[in-house]
Amino acid sequence: MRSSRLVSFLLMFVVYVATMYLYLDQTHSIIIDETEKNIENTLLSQRALGTVVSHIQKPEIYKLKIDGVLDKDYFSPALLSSSYITIKLNEYANVERKKLGIAPMLYKYASPNPMNPENLADHFELNVFKKFQTTPIRKYKEIITENGKNYLYYAIAGKIMEKQCLACHGDPENAPKSLVKIYGSDNGFGYKTGQLSSIISIRAPLEGIYEENDRQFYAVAGLIFLIFVTLFFAAELFKTRLEKKEQAIEEERIKSEARKQHTRALESSLENLYEHVISSQFDMKGKIISVSDALLRLCGYSREELIGQSFCFFKHPDTPETLFQDIWKALADGGRWKGEVKNISKTGEVFWVEVDITPMKDEHNITFAFESVMRVITEKKALLEDINIDPLTSLLNRRSFEKRFEVEKNRAKRDQKYFALLMIDIDFFKQYNDHYGHVKGDDVLQKVSRNLERSFRRSSDLIFRLGGEEFAVLTSEKSIGQLIDSAQNACSKLQKECIQHLYSDICPCLTISIGMAILPQDSTLGLEEVYEKSDEALYKAKENGRNQVQVVEL
C-alpha cells in the first residue's frame, strides 16, 4: 500500500514538473511576443519620422536651395538624413530607458556599403542582409546570444533606392559637396534604382525581463508545490478515513441483508393479515350490478351511487387505461384476470386491492356477468413502495429499476414505441460536495430529482436514483427524435435553473451528462446489455466535455 502511494506521489510530481516547465516556456514565448510588439511600435514611429524627413524637411531644404537661401551643395545629416535622425532619436530614447532601469535597444541601419561607417553590417547582419536580397521575406527574427546575453534580433528591409536617392548615393561626383566632405567618397555611393541599400537591424534585450519573470515563476511554482504536497497528504488522510468508512458500510450491508430477511418474513405475515375480502359484480357491458357492504365501507360511496357505474369507477388517476383494456381482453377470451389495482375513495384516500375477476355462468355455461373478489393490500403496497423508494430523493431506487426494466420494455413493445434507457450523472459532483459540503450536496440531489420529474412528467416515464449522483430514466416515444429531444430538454432545463457550481470545469452552473440507449420495438436485449451500452454513451458524453446527450441506437 505504501509503495503504491509513493509511486502515485512520484507520478504526480513528474506531471507537476512537466507542467511547470511548459508554463515557464510559455511565459518566455509571451515575453518574446511582447518584445516583438514593442519593436514593431518603435519601427512605426521611425517610419513616421522618415516620412516627415522625406516629405516635409527635404522639400523645404530643396526649396531654400532653389531660392538661393542655402548653397546648392548644402547638406546636413541632422536635417536631410532620415537614418541619421532615427539613430540619434534611438540614442536619446536609450538614455531615457537607462533612467528607468530598462536595458537599451540596439538600433542600426546595417549595410554592406554604408556612407556612415557606424552603419557597417557585422558578419551576422551581413548574412541577414543577403537573406533579404535573395528571398522574398518581409521580416527576420531570431533569439541570439551575444556576450552571454540573450536578445531578440529583429530586422526588416531598409531603404530601396529610388531615382531621387541617387542624387546623394549614385556618382560621388554629382553628390552634394558638403555630403562628400562629411563622409568622403569611398563608401555609400554606386547604388542603382531598386537596389536594397540597408536593413533596419534591432537587438532588443531579453535578459532583464527573463530574470524578473523567472523570479516570479519560481516563487509561484514553490507555492504551488507546497500546496500540492499539502493536498496530497490531506488526500491520503482522507483516503485512510474513507477506507474505514467503507469497512463500516460493509458491516452495515450485512446488517441490511438481515433486515431484508426480516422484511420478507414480514411480507409473508402481511399475506395472512390482510384477508379482508370485498366484492362486486358487473354485467357484460362493465356496469356494476352488485356491491358488497365491505366494498361500500372501503370506497365511501353508497350502493345507489355505484350501481350502473363502470366497474373501474373508483380507479386512481395514475392507473393507465391500458390496464382495463388488458382486463377486458382476458375476460373476452373466456378466462379470468388477477392483478393489483390502485383506487381512490370518495374522500380522496388511496387504496390498493388485489383483484381476482372470474366469469359468472348460467346453466348453459354462458357468461352473463363477472364477479370481482378483492383483497385490501394498501399497507403491503406502502411497505413495498418504501423498499423501492430512495429515502433522500423519493425517486424509485436501484432495486425497483431492476424489477421494472423488462415490464416497461414490454409495455413499449405493446404500444409500438421506441424504448430508451437514460443514464444520467451530475457533472463534477465530487467537486461540489468537496467545496459546498454534503448537506448542500444532498440538497442538489433533491433539486436534480425534481428537475427530472418536470422533464419526464408522463405516468409511463420512470425515474430512478441508482446511487450517489447517478440517475436513470426509462421512457418511450413514437420516434427516436422525440426521445432525443426529451433528453436534451432535461439537460437544458437544469442549466437554465442555474444552481451555482463555481468549481465545475465547464460552467458556473450545475449541469448533467446523459448517455441514452434506444431500443427498437422488436429488441430482445436484456437489462445487462442495454445498461452497458447506455453507460458507454454516458462515458462518451463526459469524455466529449460533459453537459450533453450521447445516443446509441441498438
Side-chain angles (χ1 to χ4, degrees):
M1 182 65 73
R2 288 183 178 179
S3 61
S4 64
R5 290 177 178 176
L6 178 60
V7 170
S8 298
F9 178 85
L10 291 176
L11 286 175
M12 292 172 69
F13 180 76
V14 169
V15 171
Y16 161 80
V17 171
T19 303
M20 289 296 100
Y21 175 81
L22 292 174
Y23 177 76
L24 179 61
D25 185 68
Q26 182 64 25
T27 60
H28 284 183
S29 297
I30 293 172
I31 289 171
I32 291 170
D33 290 342
E34 289 299 317
T35 303
E36 184 177 343
K37 288 179 183 177
N38 291 337
I39 290 173
E40 289 174 348
N41 286 334
T42 299
L43 287 173
L44 287 174
S45 300
Q46 308 297 16
R47 284 181 179 174
L49 181 60
T51 302
V52 170
V53 172
S54 299
H55 292 78
I56 297 176
Q57 290 184 196
K58 282 185 178 181
E60 190 66 23
I61 296 296
Y62 293 153
K63 182 175 181 301
L64 293 173
K65 286 183 179 182
I66 293 170
D67 294 340
V69 176
L70 294 174
D71 186 87
K72 66 177 182 177
D73 290 324
Y74 172 81
F75 176 82
S76 171
L79 292 176
L80 296 172
S81 174
S82 58
S83 62
Y84 176 89
I85 295 171
T86 298
I87 290 171
K88 289 300 180 183
L89 179 62
N90 190 67
E91 289 176 359
Y92 287 117
N94 281 337
V95 171
E96 297 301 320
R97 289 190 182 99
K98 186 175 181 181
K99 291 179 182 178
L100 296 174
I102 303 173
M105 184 182 293
L106 306 180
Y107 190 100
K108 181 179 177 182
Y109 277 80
S111 172
N113 180 27
M115 187 168 287
N116 187 340
E118 293 180 0
N119 291 334
L120 181 63
D122 59 28
H123 180 73
F124 178 81
E125 291 168 333
L126 191 58
N127 287 333
V128 176
F129 182 90
K130 290 177 181 178
K131 290 181 185 291
F132 279 95
Q133 284 185 315
T134 57
T135 57
I137 59 174
R138 297 182 59 191
K139 63 181 179 181
Y140 177 87
K141 60 179 180 178
E142 181 183 347
I143 303 298
I144 63 173
T145 302
E146 293 181 349
N147 299 321
K149 295 183 178 181
N150 292 324
Y151 295 87
L152 172 60
Y153 179 82
Y154 191 98
I156 61 172
K159 188 71 174 177
I160 302 295
M161 286 296 170
E162 299 176 355
K163 185 176 180 180
Q164 62 267 29
C165 299
L166 299 183
C168 293
H169 295 281
D171 189 339
E173 294 296 328
N174 299 326
K177 304 302 180 186
S178 54
L179 173 66
V180 176
K181 183 177 180 180
I182 294 171
Y183 295 113
S185 60
D186 295 332
N187 295 305
F189 298 99
Y191 285 102
K192 297 179 180 179
T193 303
Q195 188 175 2
L196 178 66
S197 65
S198 65
I199 59 172
I200 299 176
S201 173
I202 299 176
R203 287 172 171 84
L206 298 173
E207 209 63 24
I209 308 174
Y210 272 175
E211 290 171 359
E212 178 62 25
N213 174 79
D214 291 356
R215 277 195 298 272
Q216 295 178 2
F217 167 80
Y218 289 121
V220 172
L223 179 61
I224 291 174
F225 179 75
L226 182 61
I227 294 172
F228 161 76
V229 172
T230 303
L231 290 177
F232 178 83
F233 285 105
E236 287 301 313
L237 179 61
F238 174 79
K239 186 176 180 181
T240 301
R241 292 180 177 177
L242 184 62
E243 288 171 352
K244 292 181 179 179
K245 188 173 183 180
E246 287 175 346
Q247 183 179 356
I249 290 173
E250 177 61 19
E251 293 173 356
E252 179 61 28
R253 186 192 66 78
I254 295 172
K255 293 178 181 178
S256 176
E257 186 62 33
R259 286 196 294 269
K260 287 180 181 178
Q261 293 178 1
H262 176 71
T263 300
R264 285 192 288 269
L266 182 61
E267 290 176 357
S268 177
S269 299
L270 288 172
E271 294 286 340
N272 300 321
L273 180 62
Y274 296 110
E275 290 292 339
H276 304 291
V277 179
I278 55 178
S279 66
S280 69
Q281 297 174 355
F282 53 92
D283 61 20
M284 300 299 292
K285 294 182 179 180
K287 303 297 183 182
I288 296 174
I289 56 177
S290 174
V291 292
S292 68
D293 291 339
L295 176 58
L296 296 177
R297 289 193 299 271
L298 180 64
C299 68
Y301 290 96
S302 66
R303 185 171 276 103
E304 290 74 21
E305 289 175 306
L306 291 180
I307 298 299
Q309 299 290 347
S310 170
F311 77 101
C312 58
F313 174 71
F314 30 78
K315 73 176 182 68
H316 193 279
D318 288 349
T319 306
E321 290 292 339
T322 54
L323 174 65
F324 298 99
Q325 294 171 7
D326 291 343
I327 293 174
W328 271 116
K329 185 176 184 303
L331 297 177
D333 292 339
R336 64 192 294 180
W337 186 89
K338 293 181 70 175
E340 297 175 350
V341 180
K342 185 179 182 181
N343 296 308
I344 188 167
S345 70
K346 185 176 182 179
T347 59
E349 294 183 88
V350 175
F351 65 94
W352 281 85
V353 291
E354 187 177 74
V355 184
D356 185 1
I357 304 177
T358 55
M360 300 174 64
K361 300 180 182 293
D362 59 18
E363 64 273 14
H364 303 293
N365 201 32
I366 298 175
T367 301
F368 66 92
F370 298 94
E371 183 174 40
S372 174
V373 178
M374 293 164 273
R375 181 166 65 94
V376 178
I377 57 169
T378 303
E379 292 189 27
K380 175 185 174 182
K381 290 296 292 185
L383 177 61
L384 292 176
E385 282 183 357
D386 286 343
I387 295 173
N388 291 293
I389 295 296
D390 175 63
L392 176 63
T393 62
S394 299
L395 297 178
L396 297 171
N397 60 17
R398 181 178 287 274
R399 176 182 178 181
S400 179
F401 170 70
E402 293 170 352
K403 291 196 302 184
R404 297 300 294 270
F405 179 86
E406 286 296 329
V407 175
E408 296 307 314
K409 188 181 81 168
N410 291 334
R411 184 203 300 274
K413 182 177 181 179
R414 183 181 64 241
D415 295 341
Q416 297 184 330
K417 292 182 178 181
Y418 288 93
F419 180 65
L421 167 59
L422 285 70
M423 296 297 296
I424 304 169
D425 213 342
I426 301 175
D427 295 329
F428 301 105
F429 184 69
K430 182 180 182 303
Q431 288 86 332
Y432 191 97
N433 256 349
D434 289 346
H435 291 91
Y436 293 100
H438 290 281
V439 174
K440 286 284 188 180
D442 288 349
D443 184 51
V444 158
L445 290 172
Q446 292 171 342
K447 287 181 178 178
V448 171
S449 301
R450 302 295 80 78
N451 185 277
L452 291 175
E453 287 176 337
R454 289 193 292 272
S455 299
F456 301 95
R457 295 181 294 180
R458 299 175 308 165
S459 59
S460 59
D461 295 333
L462 298 181
I463 308 167
F464 308 82
R465 182 190 176 205
L466 303 184
E469 71 272 27
E470 188 180 20
F471 298 81
V473 174
L474 297 177
T475 184
S476 58
E477 286 288 0
K478 288 291 186 182
S479 71
I480 293 176
Q482 288 174 308
L483 288 171
I484 296 174
D485 287 344
S486 65
Q488 291 175 338
N489 180 55
C491 268
S492 60
K493 267 190 176 181
L494 180 63
Q495 188 173 6
K496 287 178 182 176
E497 190 174 339
C498 199
I499 302 169
Q500 189 180 65
H501 187 357
L502 300 180
Y503 301 95
S504 168
D505 290 349
I506 58 169
C507 179
C509 299
L510 197 75
T511 58
I512 56 175
S513 298
I514 300 178
M516 173 187 282
I518 300 177
L519 282 71
Q521 298 161 8
D522 58 351
S523 175
T524 59
L525 294 176
L527 171 59
E528 185 175 347
E529 297 95 327
V530 179
Y531 184 100
E532 181 180 354
K533 294 299 181 182
S534 60
D535 197 51
E536 288 175 1
L538 174 59
Y539 178 82
K540 186 176 180 182
K542 293 182 178 181
E543 198 175 48
N544 289 351
R546 293 181 166 85
N547 190 25
Q548 60 181 269
V549 179
Q550 287 291 332
V551 180
V552 58
E553 297 179 27
L554 304 179

